[in-house]
């Protein structure tokens, strides 16, 4: 078997394979690369020693059986026999579901999660979005401090378990999207700097030195990241990738890394004959990210839209701290702006940032399906001090309103695990760092961060306490009892309507018309012949829909169709979806 590694700063590279050592030779055709052959098969352990150092895991390791610091293992992807023929799911018309393998079930494995995928097929979602799976120290964590960007976290089940999960999902008609982290590497178990300039001090990120996308050696680093992305999509038959915090990918080169990545992914999609999607998490409000390359954009297929979340969250909760401040001044007006224009901050002043932010989105070039809309995510729940979900403070009626606004908006909707039944379990920040100093630093930092926002230190869960993760696991007995069962039925009905009514998946943002009353706390909008009316007040609301006849398709509380005056009487904390004829 051929072994290769990029180690431009080494004078010697030794392959340690199955207990035997052999010197690698420089590759005359690829500067900085070393190569050699050795007997190996699926599961064979190996590593690379640089000069006189110890054997280190392969930067392109496909498996880390003993964790990030252990030797790598050979993975023969051809061994797995795929059972499901799969043509793929395009993003337009999709409904995503964000899932964390370690807490979706108490077992915390890919196989256990696969056993629960029938629930999602019945719910009506089209894609499962898995939070990061790359190896990290310990057993349980969010996954954003992973290393070995080509491998699957062993406690989740490793590479074979991911294939079984994807196979099962595809057999149920579900696509699979994976969250990948290109903007930083984990602080523990990361051996990449020993091999080459994977990081650069030219730029800084919240996690320290930036990933090297534009300094000397960056050609190989970019190839490493693109190669990893393509490997996930090709070898595991994934349907897309969610790209974590792309605003932290600092790149001054003429062709931005994201454009290079989208070009490569689109080429792979054409070669495979099935759609592949790149979905960015971004703080930039820059429509160029999701504008097609033919129109001068970077060509990503979609992005998370935090502006919609913030407007919806403030309308539901009245919270106004931090980045919610700008939205909380007139939350329904903010919500209306996002429903019709995508962004709230489109060149407007952001008090949280102390400057103007964003630029307008060209609705003739960017469809609404390129923006993901949501009322909850792992970030928006887990980065609260106690990881409390909306269900911890809102009535079932307001939760139904949140679901209605999310699932009938002109965006691609995304749900966060358990949201669909108003899960009573929190989702808290938890880690399992094996380095005692790092563990204590994370613990102190978390408490210090929230103490600055008025929380008592003793009220902030210890991320290293196993009980923090245990509390965050879904309780699968909840969907069978009230009020969870009623909320779940409402989600199922709304998702079914989204699939049944073409107007609800029309990507034309300009075709969404909104009316609202800030004081009375109601908002209504039109999407083609579909009308949506939401009353966030405790009091009933009379909402004018116009003279056309309208039939009720779904209502959280029983309502009569509008009379001849076109006014709909909506009970307090309730939502209605209608079809006009």
């Amino acid at each position: 078997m051929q072994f290769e590694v990029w180690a431009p700063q080494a004078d010697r590279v030794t392959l340690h394979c199955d207990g035997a050592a052999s010197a690698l030779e420089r590759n005359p055709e690829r500067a900085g690369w070393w190569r050699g052959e050795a007997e190996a098969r699926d599961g064979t352990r190996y590593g690379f020693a640089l000069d006189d150092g110890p054997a280190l895991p392969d930067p392109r390791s496909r498996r880390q059986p003993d964790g990030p610091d252990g030797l790598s293992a050979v993975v023969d992807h051809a061994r797995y026999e795929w059972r499901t023929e799969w043509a793929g799911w395009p993003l337009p018309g999709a409904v995503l579901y964000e899932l964390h393998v370690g807490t979706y079930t108490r077992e915390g494995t890919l196989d256990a999660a696969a056993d629960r995928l029938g629930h999602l097929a019945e719910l009506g979602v089209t894609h499962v979005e898995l939070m990061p799976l790359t190896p990290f120290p310990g057993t349980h964590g969010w996954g954003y401090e992973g290393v070995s960007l080509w491998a699957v976290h062993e406690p989740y089940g490793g590479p074979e378990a991911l294939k079984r999960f994807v196979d099962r999902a595809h057999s149920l008609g579900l696509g699979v999207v994976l969250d990948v982290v290109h903007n930083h590497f984990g602080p523990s178990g990361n051996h990449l700097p020993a091999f080459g300039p994977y990081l650069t001090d030219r730029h800084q990120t919240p996690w320290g030195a930036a990933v090297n996308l534009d300094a000397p050696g960056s050609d190989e680093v970019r190839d490493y990241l693109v190669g990893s992305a393509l490997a996930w999509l090709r070898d595991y038959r994934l349907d897309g990738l969610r790209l974590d915090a792309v605003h932290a990918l600092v790149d001054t080169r003429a062709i931005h890394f994201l454009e290079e990545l989208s070009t490569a992914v689109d080429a792979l999609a054409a070669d495979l004959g099935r759609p592949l999607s790149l979905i960015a998490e971004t703080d930039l409000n820059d429509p160029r990210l999701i504008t097609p390359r033919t129109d001068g954009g970077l060509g990503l297929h979609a992005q998370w839209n935090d502006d919609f979340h913030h407007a919806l969250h403030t309308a539901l909760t009245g919270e106004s701290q931090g980045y919610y401040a700008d939205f909380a001044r007139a939350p329904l007006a903010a919500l209306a702006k996002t429903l019709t224009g995508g962004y709230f901050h489109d060149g407007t002043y952001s008090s949280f940032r102390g400057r103007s932010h964003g630029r307008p989105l060209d609705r003739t070039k960017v469809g609404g399906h390129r923006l993901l809309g949501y009322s909850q995510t792992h970030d928006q729940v887990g980065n609260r001090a106690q990881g409390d979900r909306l269900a911890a403070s809102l009535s079932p009626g307001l939760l139904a309103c949140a679901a209605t606004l999310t699932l009938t908006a002109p965006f691609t909707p995304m749900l966060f695990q358990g949201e669909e039944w108003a899960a009573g379990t929190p989702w808290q920040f938890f880690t399992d760092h094996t380095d005692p100093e790092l563990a204590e630093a994370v613990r102190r930092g978390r408490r210090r961060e929230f103490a600055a926002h008025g929380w008592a230190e003793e009220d902030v869960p210890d991320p290293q306490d196993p009980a923090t993760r245990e509390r965050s696991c879904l309780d699968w007995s909840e969907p069978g009892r009230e009020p969870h069962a009623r909320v779940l039925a409402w989600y199922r009905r709304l998702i079914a309507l989204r699939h049944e009514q073409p107007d609800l998946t029309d990507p034309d943002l300009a075709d969404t018309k909104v009316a609202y009353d800030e004081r009375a706390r109601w908002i209504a909008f039109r999407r083609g012949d579909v009308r949506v009316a939401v009353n966030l007040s405790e009091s009933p609301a009379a909402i004018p829909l116009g003279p056309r006849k309208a039939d009720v398709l779904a209502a959280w509380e029983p309502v009569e169709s509008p009379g001849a005056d076109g006014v709909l009487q909506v009970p307090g904390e309730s939502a209605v979806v209608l079809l006009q004829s």
Side-chain angles (χ1 to χ4, degrees):
M1 176 178 172
Q2 181 85 11
F3 288 87
E4 296 180 301
V5 66
W6 181 59
Q9 300 161 347
D11 292 323
R12 297 180 308 282
V13 178
T14 303
L15 170 67
H16 291 257
C17 183
D18 207 14
S22 58
L24 299 186
E25 297 179 349
R26 294 183 186 274
N27 186 340
E29 299 174 358
R30 300 179 70 188
W33 280 82
W34 300 75
R35 65 184 182 185
E37 293 190 357
E39 289 278 344
R41 61 189 181 282
D42 186 83
T44 296
R45 307 294 178 88
Y46 72 98
F48 299 109
L50 309 177
D51 298 324
D52 297 321
L56 301 175
D58 183 359
R60 284 172 166 76
S61 170
R62 269 65 169 183
R63 187 181 174 199
Q64 290 296 119
D66 304 309
D69 290 312
L71 291 177
S72 301
V74 173
V75 173
D76 179 4
H77 284 297
R79 289 181 70 248
Y80 185 83
E81 295 184 9
W82 292 92
R83 302 185 302 274
T84 307
E85 293 295 325
W86 180 246
W89 259 110
L91 201 57
V95 178
L96 276 67
Y97 185 98
E98 190 184 20
L99 184 157
H100 177 261
V101 169
T103 53
Y104 188 61
T105 67
R106 196 159 296 278
E107 295 89 340
T109 66
L110 282 157
D111 285 332
D115 288 341
R116 292 285 186 180
L117 287 177
H119 164 77
L120 300 184
E122 293 175 6
L123 180 62
V125 302
T126 63
H127 292 72
V128 181
E129 183 177 301
L130 295 173
M131 288 176 62
L133 298 179
T134 50
F136 54 86
T139 300
H140 295 297
W142 280 21
Y144 292 94
E145 295 183 341
V147 295
S148 296
L149 300 192
W150 301 53
V152 179
H153 189 50
E154 200 70 16
Y156 288 165
E160 291 285 297
L162 177 56
K163 292 175 184 176
R164 291 191 295 269
F165 180 95
V166 173
D167 225 351
R168 175 60 176 158
H170 287 172
S171 74
L172 293 169
L174 299 169
V176 182
V177 175
L178 175 64
D179 195 337
V180 296
V181 183
H182 290 162
N183 53 61
H184 73 288
F185 305 116
S188 180
N190 175 29
H191 300 282
L192 290 176
F195 285 89
Y198 283 88
L199 299 173
T200 175
D201 56 9
R202 286 189 177 186
H203 314 294
Q204 292 294 311
T205 74
W207 308 282
V211 174
N212 178 16
L213 299 176
D214 57 6
S218 59
D219 284 355
E220 293 291 352
V221 178
R222 293 161 75 108
D223 182 69
Y224 173 78
L225 297 175
V226 171
S228 168
L230 298 181
W232 289 115
L233 297 168
R234 180 187 60 245
D235 298 337
Y236 294 95
R237 299 194 178 184
L238 297 177
D239 299 275
L241 301 174
R242 183 261 194 187
L243 309 174
D244 182 62
V246 300
H247 48 271
L249 295 171
V250 187
D251 183 6
T252 61
R253 290 171 58 160
I255 298 178
H256 195 281
F257 166 72
L258 292 174
E259 181 180 353
E260 183 178 335
L261 177 61
S262 72
T263 301
V265 168
D266 285 348
L268 179 62
D271 184 54
L272 296 176
R274 58 184 176 88
L276 301 173
S277 301
L278 291 174
I279 303 169
E281 181 202 18
T282 172
D283 184 43
L284 299 176
N285 280 21
D286 185 351
R288 288 174 293 191
L289 288 171
I290 52 174
T291 297
R293 294 187 302 276
T294 53
D295 290 323
L298 299 185
L300 301 182
H301 306 99
Q303 68 154 93
W304 282 26
N305 187 7
D306 274 352
D307 279 12
F308 173 75
H309 169 272
H310 297 347
L312 178 56
H313 187 87
T314 56
L316 291 166
T317 67
E319 292 183 11
S320 60
Q321 72 276 15
Y323 48 65
Y324 291 134
D326 293 332
F327 302 85
R329 293 189 181 97
L332 294 183
L335 192 54
K337 183 176 181 180
T338 62
L339 287 169
T340 55
Y343 301 142
F344 175 76
H345 283 304
D346 54 4
T348 58
Y349 183 78
S350 166
S351 62
F352 176 71
R353 298 173 178 86
R355 58 170 175 80
S356 298
H357 184 66
R359 67 185 296 167
L361 184 150
D362 186 343
R363 297 184 297 179
T364 66
K365 295 180 179 178
V366 178
H369 71 278
R370 293 185 180 272
L371 298 171
L372 267 62
Y374 37 83
S375 66
Q376 301 178 76
T377 69
H378 79 272
D379 268 331
Q380 300 301 336
V381 175
N383 282 328
R384 298 172 67 84
Q386 295 188 328
D388 49 311
R389 298 168 178 265
L390 288 177
S393 57
L394 299 184
S395 67
L398 285 179
L399 295 177
C401 291
T404 305
L405 288 164
T406 300
L407 289 163
T408 62
F411 312 127
T412 296
M414 184 180 73
L415 313 179
F416 177 58
Q417 63 175 40
E419 166 192 338
E420 72 276 17
W421 72 69
T425 51
W427 204 76
Q428 300 175 335
F429 179 71
F430 53 90
T431 56
D432 190 20
H433 291 299
T434 54
D435 180 339
E437 291 186 6
L438 180 58
E440 183 57 29
V442 170
R443 182 183 292 114
R444 289 198 309 269
R446 189 76 176 173
R447 289 173 172 167
R448 186 167 53 246
E449 175 186 352
F450 286 105
H453 293 282
W455 291 81
E457 284 197 12
E458 59 270 20
D459 292 336
V460 180
D462 179 359
Q464 283 287 121
D465 184 348
T468 305
R469 177 260 170 182
E470 288 291 320
R471 284 190 297 271
S472 301
C473 293
L474 290 178
D475 177 357
W476 282 92
S477 71
E478 288 184 335
R481 59 180 188 268
E482 297 297 349
H484 308 286
R486 185 184 178 196
V487 173
L488 178 58
W490 182 245
Y491 270 85
R492 284 176 175 160
R493 178 61 181 140
L494 291 173
I495 294 173
L497 282 178
R498 190 169 184 89
H499 295 318
E500 294 166 7
Q501 298 295 329
D503 285 337
L504 289 178
T505 52
D506 182 353
D508 186 1
L509 285 168
D511 194 45
T512 301
K513 309 299 181 185
V514 184
Y516 61 92
D517 187 321
E518 200 78 60
R519 184 181 297 274
R521 287 180 48 75
W522 62 258
I523 185 168
F525 55 91
R526 172 175 67 82
R527 301 194 59 210
D529 291 328
V530 175
R531 299 292 187 272
V532 179
V534 175
N535 179 15
L536 301 178
S537 170
E538 293 181 353
S539 303
I543 303 178
L545 297 183
R548 289 174 58 191
K549 182 178 181 296
D551 296 316
V552 175
L553 295 176
W556 174 251
E557 297 289 356
V559 298
E560 296 291 333
S561 297
D565 60 358
V567 176
L568 178 70
Q569 303 293 332
V570 182
E573 297 184 350
S574 188
V576 187
V577 183
L578 309 97
L579 184 65
Q580 289 190 319
S581 57

